[in-house]
Amino acid sequence: MPIFRQARFALAAAALTLASGAALAQQTMPGQMPNLAALSGQMHAAAEYCNAYSAAQLDQMKQQQKTATSAQGMSAADFDTAFSQSYGQAKTQLGALSAADKEKTCAQLKAMAAAQPR
C-alpha cells in the first residue's frame, strides 16, 4: 500500500482514537495497548501537521490516552516509547506529501475533528 494511502488510513483511524481516547483504551485488550499508543502518536503528528487541534487539546488528549492505557496495564514509559516512535515516523511521512495530498489529508482530518465534540 502506498505511503499516502497508509497515512490516510491511519489518519482516519487515529482521528477516532483522539476523539474517543479514554473510552477506546478502556475497551482495548492489554496486548493492543502499544498499537493504541502508536496510533495516538500518528494522530498527534497529523493533527499538528494539519493544525486540526490546538497544542493544549493535543496535550490533553495525549494525557487522557496515556492514563487510559496505564489503567489497562501499559507503563508510561512503554506508552511514551510507542507514541514517540510512531509520531516521528508519521511526521516524516506527512512531510513527504505533495501539496495536493496534504490538502486532501488535512481536509479529511479537519472534517473529522470538527464533527467531534470538544
Side-chain angles (χ1 to χ4, degrees):
M1 183 182 299
I3 290 175
F4 175 65
R5 284 192 180 166
Q6 288 176 336
R8 288 190 70 187
F9 176 75
L11 288 177
L16 296 175
T17 301
L18 275 182
S20 61
L24 181 60
Q26 290 171 354
Q27 296 173 7
T28 307
M29 300 299 292
Q32 295 172 317
M33 287 298 113
N35 292 335
L36 180 59
L39 192 58
S40 295
Q42 290 172 350
M43 186 57 191
H44 196 101
E48 280 181 356
Y49 181 76
C50 296
N51 295 316
Y53 291 92
S54 70
Q57 289 170 316
L58 287 171
D59 288 343
Q60 180 183 18
M61 288 183 272
K62 179 181 177 183
Q63 188 56 47
Q64 288 172 341
Q65 292 156 357
K66 189 175 190 176
T67 299
T69 56
S70 175
Q72 296 297 314
M74 183 177 210
S75 73
D78 287 345
F79 178 90
D80 288 340
T81 298
F83 181 96
S84 294
Q85 287 175 347
S86 181
Y87 174 85
Q89 291 170 348
K91 281 192 71 142
T92 299
Q93 290 177 344
L94 289 164
L97 292 179
S98 69
D101 288 342
K102 177 183 178 180
E103 185 177 328
K104 287 178 191 174
T105 299
C106 290
Q108 179 184 14
L109 182 63
K110 287 179 180 181
M112 286 185 272
Q116 300 302 318
R118 302 229 179 184

